[in-house]
């Protein structure tokens, strides 16, 4: 179909070798330098990163197991995306606001959220809420891309509150919003880019390009690398190795500092891979090859960090055994906690629709309760 | 005659429409290699190619908006919205463009498009995957809105919707996708009209007016009522816009009592429209007020409470008791 593009245009559009992938730790676990980005954390930070990544994977695995046992209706795996999630979370400052999509288990754990708080959503005992979670963490969104606009609005509020561009960096904040490669096609995401650019809003668009949107490869969404979209909207885009926790942290720190200082939005494309199924309802063997999965397995974010830390003598087998034991304890806590989640009562929903419940909902609640009670009398 | 699930019947209906008319094409998220998240389009891309079974970018407004252009270009697009809760990004295209091009062009243009939407609850899903948004569309002049309740109707109605020159919103009751039924694929077995209601069960004491996923619930209720010596008529509306008034009024005139049953929230749902029409036309034949058994006026609640939210056999029979007590 169609006429071939002029060669120069085709070359410009193609995913070319000079699409610089920012990387500081190779898949084989060796440090490499980047001209612009440098890791600012300590060795101890990296040890802690590995611990969080291992715990994330263990809890993720347990989530899948709980779904298989019928205790959860659904589980959304983060398998393979631990470095993108935890590396970016390490860059958060105390005034930053975090807007997740639905796959950010690693971000939650890095922020210290109790995994039991989001299990209810997948068990069907709750909507979405973090009653004791960090105040700067927004609720997840399940409608693809919608949250990017909310994030820009939150950034606009920070601007109005005088939280951007102050001489003392401690007074500044920004917003980080997570979304996927598929989401970039939504009108909402493109409008978020437009609004962010128009307002020069302090927002970091963190796109986890895990190569798939359910069964659709990224090529269904775009012929050009996603990070390049940003320039057309008027702000910088960068592509980082999303399986490299050092590089992700370095790039996100840069973008956040830039945003907080008042220099405006950044699009980060974290180039990673969805190692598992889209969710527990999905069967990826229908649409992708085992070879592709194997190729990415060789770039696993955990393996490379473990290799590096072992080689440097920063961890040893005893340390790994300790984390494995900790993971087992947490998984066990999830198993027991899951089945103990309080069963919801529909009666409680009627007062949640409005801040001020109108009469017809009081009536419907009464009707519902009377109906339920009629069974108890008969029983 | 063969026994098919509703999912397979839809698949067979789509296959036949693609085979019969080279202008028919399917578009949606994950409908190609995966065959859609419910496998309704399974095997169709392999059979008809990527130009006719199109995996689209992830954008519902884009899916419907480009389908408008394809329709204007002479094609008959059948688009899949992955779940009920994800039709809203396309709402503007549907209610401001799809529904109105015929009217705006003084009848010169038409948009022969089908928007397929798996809808309704009862599958234990997370938020946005269990909605019943049919009233928004039935409220919009220019759209036809239909829903199937069994495999035979699924097979025939999808083909009739595709053949219709007007845009049709085609709701598929996802929790009934795996229900089995007889499907006669002989052309003589096609229902007369896409817009005619069906008497799913004859009865004399009261009429249950329903559609989509609740047809089976109402049939179960009618079977249970029979054991108590009550004869309930069950009408499967099939078309929510236009409504087959004649079939509805005739039944109401026979039984004098009506209970409307749907999953969607009560306020301004289909039940409200049906009750208004029935009281205006059948006022003197009614023995009791028209009653409604519906979802409550709540956003769809957490799935572990959906059994309380969704109308079930007991709630239907409870309403029948109330009607008969008048
Ligand atoms: C508006 C909307 N359309 C469709 C869906 C169904 N859906 C859920 S996830 C998904 C794919 C998202 O892909 P991507 O943005 O790459 O994120 P990933 O799941 O890979 O993390 C789709 C189509 C949805 N949730 N919202
Ligand atoms: Mg993706």
């Amino acid at each position: 179909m169609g006429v071939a593009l002029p060669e120069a245009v085709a070359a410009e559009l193609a995913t070319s070798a000079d699409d610089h992938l920012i990387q500081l730790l190779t898949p084989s676990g060796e440090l490499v330098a980047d001209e612009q980005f440098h890791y600012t954390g300590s060795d101890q930070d990296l040890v802690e990163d590995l611990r969080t990544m291992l715990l994330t994977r263990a809890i993720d695995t347990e989530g899948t197991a709980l779904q298989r046992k019928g205790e959860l209706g659904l589980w959304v795996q983060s398998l393979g995306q631990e470095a993108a999630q935890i590396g970016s979370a390490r860059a958060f400052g105390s005034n930053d606001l975090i807007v997740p999509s639905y796959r950010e288990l690693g971000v939650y754990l890095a922020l210290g959220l109790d995994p039991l708080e989001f299990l209810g959503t997948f068990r069907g005992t709750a909507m979405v809420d973090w009653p004791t979670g960090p105040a700067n963490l927004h609720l997840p969104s399940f409608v693809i891309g919608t949250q990017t606009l909310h994030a820009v609005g939150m950034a606009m509020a920070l601007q109005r509150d005088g939280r951007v561009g102050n001489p003392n960096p401690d007074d500044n904040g920004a917003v980080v919003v997570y979304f996927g490669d598929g989401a970039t096609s939504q009108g909402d995401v493109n409008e978020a880019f437009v609004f962010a650019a128009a307002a020069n809003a302090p927002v970091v668009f963190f796109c986890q390009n895990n190569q798939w949107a359910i069964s659709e490869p990224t090529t269904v969404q775009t012929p050009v690398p996603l990070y390049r979209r940003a320039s057309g909207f008027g702000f910088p885009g960068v592509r980082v190795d999303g399986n490299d926790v050092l590089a992700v942290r370095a790039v996100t720190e840069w973008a956040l500092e830039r945003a907080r200082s008042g220099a405006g939005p950044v699009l980060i494309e974290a180039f990673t891979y969805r190692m598992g199924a889209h969710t527990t309802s999905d069967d990826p063997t229908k649409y992708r090859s085992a070879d592709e999965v194997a190729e990415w397995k060789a770039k696993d974010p955990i393996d490379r960090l473990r290799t590096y830390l072992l080689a440097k003598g920063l961890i040893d087998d005893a340390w790994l055994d300790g984390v494995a034991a900790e993971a087992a304890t947490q998984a066990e806590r999830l198993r027991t906690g899951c089945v103990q989640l309080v069963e919801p009562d529909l009666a409680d929903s009627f007062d949640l629709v409005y801040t001020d419940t109108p009469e017809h909902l009081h009536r419907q609640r009464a009707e519902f309760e009377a109906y339920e009670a009629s069974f108890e009398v008969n029983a | 005659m063969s026994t098919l699930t509703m999912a397979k019947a839809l698949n067979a209906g789509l296959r036949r429409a693609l085979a019969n008319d080279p202008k028919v094409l399917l578009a949606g998220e994950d409908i190609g290699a995966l065959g859609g998240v419910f496998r309704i389009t399974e095997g169709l891309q392999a059979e008809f190619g990527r130009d006719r079974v199109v995996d689209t970018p992830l954008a519902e407004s884009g899916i419907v908006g480009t389908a408008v252009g394809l329709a204007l270009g002479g094609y008959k697009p059948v688009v899949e919205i992955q779940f009920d809760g994800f039709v809203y990004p396309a709402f503007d295209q549907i209610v401001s463009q799809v529904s109105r091009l015929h009217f705006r062009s003084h009848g010169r243009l038409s948009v022969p498009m089908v928007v397929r939407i798996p809808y309704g609850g009862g599958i234990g899903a997370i938020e946005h995957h269990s909605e019943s948004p049919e009233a928004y569309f039935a409220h919009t002049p220019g759209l036809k809105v239909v829903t199937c309740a069994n495999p035979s109707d699924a097979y025939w109605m999808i083909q009739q919707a595709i053949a219709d020159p007007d845009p049709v919103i085609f709701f598929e009751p996802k929790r009934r996708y795996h229900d089995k039924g007889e499907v006669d694929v002989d052309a003589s077995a096609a229902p007369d009209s896409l817009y005619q209601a069906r008497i799913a069960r004859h009865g004399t004491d009261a009429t249950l007016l329903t559609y989509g996923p609740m047809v089976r619930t109402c049939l179960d209720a009618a079977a249970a009522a029979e054991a108590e010596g009550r004869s309930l008529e069950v009408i499967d509306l099939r078309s929510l816009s236009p409504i087959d008034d004649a079939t509805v009024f005739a039944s109401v005139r026979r039984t004098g009592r009506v209970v409307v049953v749907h999953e969607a929230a009560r306020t301004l749902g289909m039940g409200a429209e049906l009750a208004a029409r029935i009281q205006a036309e059948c006022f003197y034949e009614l023995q009791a007020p028209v009653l409604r058994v519906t979802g409550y006026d709540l956003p769809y609640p957490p799935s572990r409470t959906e059994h309380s939210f969704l109308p079930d056999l007991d709630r239907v029979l409870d309403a029948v008791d109330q009607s008969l007590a008048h």
Side-chain angles (χ1 to χ4, degrees), chain A residues 261-272:
Chain A
S261 76
V266 173
L267 170 62
I268 297 174
E269 178 189 3
F271 208 66
T272 178

Side-chain angles (χ1 to χ4, degrees), chain A residues 256-279:
Chain A
L256 274 169
E257 269 161 34
R258 192 178 176 282
R260 292 181 204 118
S261 76
V266 173
L267 170 62
I268 297 174
E269 178 189 3
F271 208 66
T272 178
Y273 194 70
R274 197 194 77 207
M275 290 293 299
H278 170 67
T279 65

Side-chain angles (χ1 to χ4, degrees), chain A residues 180-182 208-213:
Chain A
D181 44 287
Q208 293 179 79
N209 177 358
N210 61 7
Q211 314 302 325
W212 291 93

Side-chain angles (χ1 to χ4, degrees), chain B residues 242-315:
Chain B
I243 294 172
D244 175 4
D245 291 321
T247 303
V248 170
F249 297 156
S251 176
V252 174
R253 291 192 173 112
R254 279 195 300 275
T255 64
R257 299 173 198 276
V258 191
V259 176
V260 187
V261 183
H262 56 66
E263 286 187 24
R266 186 173 306 169
T267 296
L268 291 176
M270 289 304 298
E273 178 60 31
L274 288 160
R277 291 188 188 202
I278 290 165
Q279 64 84 22
E281 291 296 324
C282 311
F283 189 70
Y284 293 104
E285 283 100 335
L286 282 173
Q287 312 278 334
V290 178
L291 298 180
R292 290 176 287 175
V293 180
T294 68
Y296 298 99
D297 285 336
L298 302 172
Y300 202 85
S303 64
R304 283 175 96 90
T305 63
E306 69 181 341
H307 58 279
S308 302
F309 176 82
L310 292 169
D312 60 8
L313 184 148
D314 288 320
R315 268 172 75 194

Side-chain angles (χ1 to χ4, degrees), chain A residues 313-326:
Chain A
L314 289 164
I315 58 167
D316 55 19
D317 286 346
W319 182 89
L320 286 167
D321 290 345
V323 177
E326 187 184 355

